[in-house]
mmCIF file of all heavy atoms in Angstrom:
data_model
loop_
_atom_site.group_PDB
_atom_site.id
_atom_site.type_symbol
_atom_site.label_atom_id
_atom_site.label_comp_id
_atom_site.label_asym_id
_atom_site.label_seq_id
_atom_site.Cartn_x
_atom_site.Cartn_y
_atom_site.Cartn_z
ATOM 1 N N ARG A 27 -0.753 2.609 11.866
ATOM 2 C CA ARG A 27 -1.170 1.818 10.660
ATOM 3 C C ARG A 27 -0.696 2.420 9.324
ATOM 4 O O ARG A 27 -0.195 1.837 8.500
ATOM 5 C CB ARG A 27 -2.689 1.713 10.712
ATOM 6 C CG ARG A 27 -3.199 0.794 9.506
ATOM 7 C CD ARG A 27 -4.715 0.780 9.447
ATOM 8 N NE ARG A 27 -4.985 2.104 9.119
ATOM 9 C CZ ARG A 27 -6.286 2.616 9.318
ATOM 10 N NH1 ARG A 27 -7.179 1.814 9.824
ATOM 11 N NH2 ARG A 27 -6.559 3.868 8.881
ATOM 12 N N ASP A 28 -0.788 3.838 9.309
ATOM 13 C CA ASP A 28 -0.409 4.569 8.180
ATOM 14 C C ASP A 28 1.118 4.338 7.833
ATOM 15 O O ASP A 28 1.544 4.136 6.761
ATOM 16 C CB ASP A 28 -0.705 6.016 8.206
ATOM 17 C CG ASP A 28 -2.285 6.282 8.091
ATOM 18 O OD1 ASP A 28 -2.979 5.305 7.771
ATOM 19 O OD2 ASP A 28 -2.595 7.443 8.448
ATOM 20 N N ARG A 29 1.969 4.429 8.972
ATOM 21 C CA ARG A 29 3.353 4.213 8.861
ATOM 22 C C ARG A 29 3.733 2.825 8.333
ATOM 23 O O ARG A 29 4.568 2.713 7.499
ATOM 24 C CB ARG A 29 4.121 4.495 10.193
ATOM 25 C CG ARG A 29 4.079 5.953 10.686
ATOM 26 C CD ARG A 29 4.865 6.042 11.930
ATOM 27 N NE ARG A 29 4.536 7.299 12.577
ATOM 28 C CZ ARG A 29 3.821 7.390 13.725
ATOM 29 N NH1 ARG A 29 3.311 6.337 14.257
ATOM 30 N NH2 ARG A 29 3.513 8.559 14.215
ATOM 31 N N LEU A 30 2.913 1.751 8.771
ATOM 32 C CA LEU A 30 3.171 0.502 8.227
ATOM 33 C C LEU A 30 2.781 0.294 6.872
ATOM 34 O O LEU A 30 3.593 -0.154 6.143
ATOM 35 C CB LEU A 30 2.436 -0.495 9.201
ATOM 36 C CG LEU A 30 2.939 -0.743 10.624
ATOM 37 C CD1 LEU A 30 1.878 -1.501 11.423
ATOM 38 C CD2 LEU A 30 4.305 -1.249 10.614
ATOM 39 N N GLU A 31 1.669 0.845 6.482
ATOM 40 C CA GLU A 31 1.200 0.818 5.178
ATOM 41 C C GLU A 31 2.025 1.500 4.200
ATOM 42 O O GLU A 31 2.312 1.029 3.081
ATOM 43 C CB GLU A 31 -0.272 1.301 5.002
ATOM 44 C CG GLU A 31 -1.341 0.529 5.576
ATOM 45 C CD GLU A 31 -2.664 1.049 5.609
ATOM 46 O OE1 GLU A 31 -2.822 2.248 5.156
ATOM 47 O OE2 GLU A 31 -3.684 0.377 5.992
ATOM 48 N N LYS A 32 2.655 2.621 4.510
ATOM 49 C CA LYS A 32 3.560 3.294 3.721
ATOM 50 C C LYS A 32 4.995 2.730 3.642
ATOM 51 O O LYS A 32 5.839 3.304 2.839
ATOM 52 C CB LYS A 32 3.633 4.817 4.119
ATOM 53 C CG LYS A 32 2.444 5.562 3.870
ATOM 54 C CD LYS A 32 2.507 6.984 4.490
ATOM 55 C CE LYS A 32 1.175 7.742 4.336
ATOM 56 N NZ LYS A 32 1.291 9.034 5.122
ATOM 57 N N GLY A 33 5.285 1.737 4.559
ATOM 58 C CA GLY A 33 6.549 1.173 4.535
ATOM 59 C C GLY A 33 7.547 1.995 5.338
ATOM 60 O O GLY A 33 8.840 1.791 5.244
ATOM 61 N N GLU A 34 7.126 3.072 6.024
ATOM 62 C CA GLU A 34 7.964 3.923 6.848
ATOM 63 C C GLU A 34 8.446 3.117 8.161
ATOM 64 O O GLU A 34 9.441 3.545 8.726
ATOM 65 C CB GLU A 34 7.182 5.189 7.328
ATOM 66 C CG GLU A 34 6.885 6.100 6.137
ATOM 67 C CD GLU A 34 5.958 7.299 6.593
ATOM 68 O OE1 GLU A 34 5.591 7.420 7.759
ATOM 69 O OE2 GLU A 34 5.585 7.936 5.646
ATOM 70 N N MET A 35 7.703 2.264 8.514
ATOM 71 C CA MET A 35 7.998 1.387 9.714
ATOM 72 C C MET A 35 7.647 -0.056 9.519
ATOM 73 O O MET A 35 6.763 -0.435 8.812
ATOM 74 C CB MET A 35 7.165 1.975 10.815
ATOM 75 C CG MET A 35 7.404 1.361 12.224
ATOM 76 S SD MET A 35 6.647 2.232 13.498
ATOM 77 C CE MET A 35 7.471 3.832 13.631
ATOM 78 N N LYS A 36 8.462 -0.850 10.273
ATOM 79 C CA LYS A 36 8.359 -2.319 10.239
ATOM 80 C C LYS A 36 8.157 -2.647 11.671
ATOM 81 O O LYS A 36 8.741 -2.116 12.588
ATOM 82 C CB LYS A 36 9.528 -3.120 9.590
ATOM 83 C CG LYS A 36 9.807 -2.873 8.230
ATOM 84 C CD LYS A 36 11.047 -3.489 7.845
ATOM 85 C CE LYS A 36 11.361 -3.206 6.414
ATOM 86 N NZ LYS A 36 12.651 -3.905 5.909
ATOM 87 N N LEU A 37 7.289 -3.747 11.935
ATOM 88 C CA LEU A 37 7.010 -4.057 13.257
ATOM 89 C C LEU A 37 7.078 -5.567 13.582
ATOM 90 O O LEU A 37 6.521 -6.404 12.661
ATOM 91 C CB LEU A 37 5.559 -3.594 13.514
ATOM 92 C CG LEU A 37 4.962 -3.705 15.011
ATOM 93 C CD1 LEU A 37 5.755 -2.712 15.927
ATOM 94 C CD2 LEU A 37 3.527 -3.290 14.986
ATOM 95 N N TRP A 38 7.710 -5.991 14.621
ATOM 96 C CA TRP A 38 7.942 -7.428 14.831
ATOM 97 C C TRP A 38 7.287 -7.705 16.232
ATOM 98 O O TRP A 38 7.319 -6.826 17.014
ATOM 99 C CB TRP A 38 9.366 -7.811 14.870
ATOM 100 C CG TRP A 38 10.033 -7.979 13.647
ATOM 101 C CD1 TRP A 38 10.116 -9.055 12.789
ATOM 102 C CD2 TRP A 38 10.641 -6.874 12.825
ATOM 103 N NE1 TRP A 38 10.780 -8.882 11.568
ATOM 104 C CE2 TRP A 38 11.186 -7.398 11.660
ATOM 105 C CE3 TRP A 38 10.846 -5.539 13.095
ATOM 106 C CZ2 TRP A 38 11.828 -6.673 10.684
ATOM 107 C CZ3 TRP A 38 11.630 -4.765 12.139
ATOM 108 C CH2 TRP A 38 12.071 -5.355 10.976
ATOM 109 N N GLY A 39 6.809 -8.965 16.367
ATOM 110 C CA GLY A 39 6.365 -9.305 17.715
ATOM 111 C C GLY A 39 6.999 -10.615 18.063
ATOM 112 O O GLY A 39 7.350 -11.470 17.301
ATOM 113 N N CYS A 40 7.165 -10.696 19.372
ATOM 114 C CA CYS A 40 7.692 -12.059 19.885
ATOM 115 C C CYS A 40 6.614 -12.753 20.669
ATOM 116 O O CYS A 40 5.944 -12.043 21.638
ATOM 117 C CB CYS A 40 8.861 -11.753 20.958
ATOM 118 S SG CYS A 40 9.604 -13.298 21.499
ATOM 119 N N TYR A 41 6.256 -13.905 20.365
ATOM 120 C CA TYR A 41 5.196 -14.708 21.036
ATOM 121 C C TYR A 41 5.710 -15.833 21.823
ATOM 122 O O TYR A 41 6.543 -16.579 21.345
ATOM 123 C CB TYR A 41 4.213 -15.239 19.923
ATOM 124 C CG TYR A 41 3.406 -14.185 19.259
ATOM 125 C CD1 TYR A 41 3.860 -13.461 18.126
ATOM 126 C CD2 TYR A 41 2.096 -13.804 19.789
ATOM 127 C CE1 TYR A 41 3.146 -12.510 17.528
ATOM 128 C CE2 TYR A 41 1.362 -12.820 19.076
ATOM 129 C CZ TYR A 41 1.861 -12.159 18.086
ATOM 130 O OH TYR A 41 1.133 -11.281 17.372
ATOM 131 N N GLN A 42 5.054 -16.027 22.903
ATOM 132 C CA GLN A 42 5.271 -17.322 23.677
ATOM 133 C C GLN A 42 3.854 -17.998 23.495
ATOM 134 O O GLN A 42 2.895 -17.514 23.974
ATOM 135 C CB GLN A 42 5.479 -17.151 25.069
ATOM 136 C CG GLN A 42 5.725 -18.519 25.731
ATOM 137 C CD GLN A 42 6.216 -18.299 27.252
ATOM 138 O OE1 GLN A 42 5.978 -17.280 27.841
ATOM 139 N NE2 GLN A 42 6.967 -19.314 27.718
ATOM 140 N N ASN A 43 3.870 -19.119 22.764
ATOM 141 C CA ASN A 43 2.721 -19.827 22.223
ATOM 142 C C ASN A 43 1.873 -18.696 21.464
ATOM 143 O O ASN A 43 2.433 -18.153 20.515
ATOM 144 C CB ASN A 43 1.820 -20.349 23.392
ATOM 145 C CG ASN A 43 2.659 -21.418 24.180
ATOM 146 O OD1 ASN A 43 3.386 -22.229 23.462
ATOM 147 N ND2 ASN A 43 2.686 -21.442 25.481
ATOM 148 N N SER A 44 0.694 -18.298 21.867
ATOM 149 C CA SER A 44 -0.051 -17.344 21.075
ATOM 150 C C SER A 44 -0.139 -16.011 21.772
ATOM 151 O O SER A 44 -0.801 -15.076 21.504
ATOM 152 C CB SER A 44 -1.439 -17.792 20.713
ATOM 153 O OG SER A 44 -2.045 -18.050 21.938
ATOM 154 N N TYR A 45 0.760 -15.850 22.973
ATOM 155 C CA TYR A 45 0.753 -14.662 23.762
ATOM 156 C C TYR A 45 1.939 -13.742 23.310
ATOM 157 O O TYR A 45 3.070 -14.028 23.407
ATOM 158 C CB TYR A 45 0.924 -15.123 25.202
ATOM 159 C CG TYR A 45 0.772 -13.964 26.239
ATOM 160 C CD1 TYR A 45 -0.351 -13.122 26.369
ATOM 161 C CD2 TYR A 45 1.906 -13.718 27.136
ATOM 162 C CE1 TYR A 45 -0.446 -12.164 27.333
ATOM 163 C CE2 TYR A 45 1.747 -12.655 28.085
ATOM 164 C CZ TYR A 45 0.672 -11.922 28.143
ATOM 165 O OH TYR A 45 0.454 -10.954 29.063
ATOM 166 N N LEU A 46 1.542 -12.472 22.972
ATOM 167 C CA LEU A 46 2.510 -11.510 22.626
ATOM 168 C C LEU A 46 3.273 -10.989 23.783
ATOM 169 O O LEU A 46 2.604 -10.518 24.812
ATOM 170 C CB LEU A 46 1.772 -10.363 21.867
ATOM 171 C CG LEU A 46 2.676 -9.265 21.275
ATOM 172 C CD1 LEU A 46 3.501 -9.739 20.288
ATOM 173 C CD2 LEU A 46 1.801 -8.054 20.817
ATOM 174 N N VAL A 47 4.502 -11.135 23.873
ATOM 175 C CA VAL A 47 5.337 -10.707 24.942
ATOM 176 C C VAL A 47 6.252 -9.622 24.648
ATOM 177 O O VAL A 47 6.859 -9.036 25.657
ATOM 178 C CB VAL A 47 6.168 -11.950 25.613
ATOM 179 C CG1 VAL A 47 5.129 -13.032 26.062
ATOM 180 C CG2 VAL A 47 7.150 -12.567 24.595
ATOM 181 N N GLY A 48 6.657 -9.369 23.405
ATOM 182 C CA GLY A 48 7.522 -8.296 23.046
ATOM 183 C C GLY A 48 7.262 -7.697 21.722
ATOM 184 O O GLY A 48 6.733 -8.398 20.829
ATOM 185 N N VAL A 49 7.603 -6.406 21.538
ATOM 186 C CA VAL A 49 7.406 -5.684 20.190
ATOM 187 C C VAL A 49 8.541 -4.846 19.925
ATOM 188 O O VAL A 49 9.141 -4.277 20.847
ATOM 189 C CB VAL A 49 6.126 -4.810 20.379
ATOM 190 C CG1 VAL A 49 5.929 -3.919 19.155
ATOM 191 C CG2 VAL A 49 4.866 -5.765 20.575
ATOM 192 N N MET A 50 8.822 -4.934 18.679
ATOM 193 C CA MET A 50 9.911 -3.913 18.182
ATOM 194 C C MET A 50 9.512 -3.291 16.867
ATOM 195 O O MET A 50 8.949 -3.956 16.053
ATOM 196 C CB MET A 50 11.225 -4.604 18.066
ATOM 197 C CG MET A 50 12.449 -3.589 17.444
ATOM 198 S SD MET A 50 13.771 -4.438 16.848
ATOM 199 C CE MET A 50 13.160 -5.563 15.603
ATOM 200 N N ALA A 51 9.866 -1.986 16.818
ATOM 201 C CA ALA A 51 9.548 -1.308 15.462
ATOM 202 C C ALA A 51 10.848 -0.679 15.008
ATOM 203 O O ALA A 51 11.682 -0.085 15.715
ATOM 204 C CB ALA A 51 8.556 -0.190 15.659
ATOM 205 N N LEU A 52 11.023 -0.826 13.631
ATOM 206 C CA LEU A 52 12.112 -0.222 12.942
ATOM 207 C C LEU A 52 11.576 0.856 12.104
ATOM 208 O O LEU A 52 10.759 0.632 11.218
ATOM 209 C CB LEU A 52 12.910 -1.351 12.172
ATOM 210 C CG LEU A 52 14.320 -1.053 11.592
ATOM 211 C CD1 LEU A 52 15.242 -0.734 12.717
ATOM 212 C CD2 LEU A 52 14.705 -2.122 10.757
#
């Protein structure tokens, strides 16, 4: 959460309908 808030990391999710099936962080 701290990394996301500071902008050190970005996070994406891939959903099928409302079910999270994949995650990637940059």
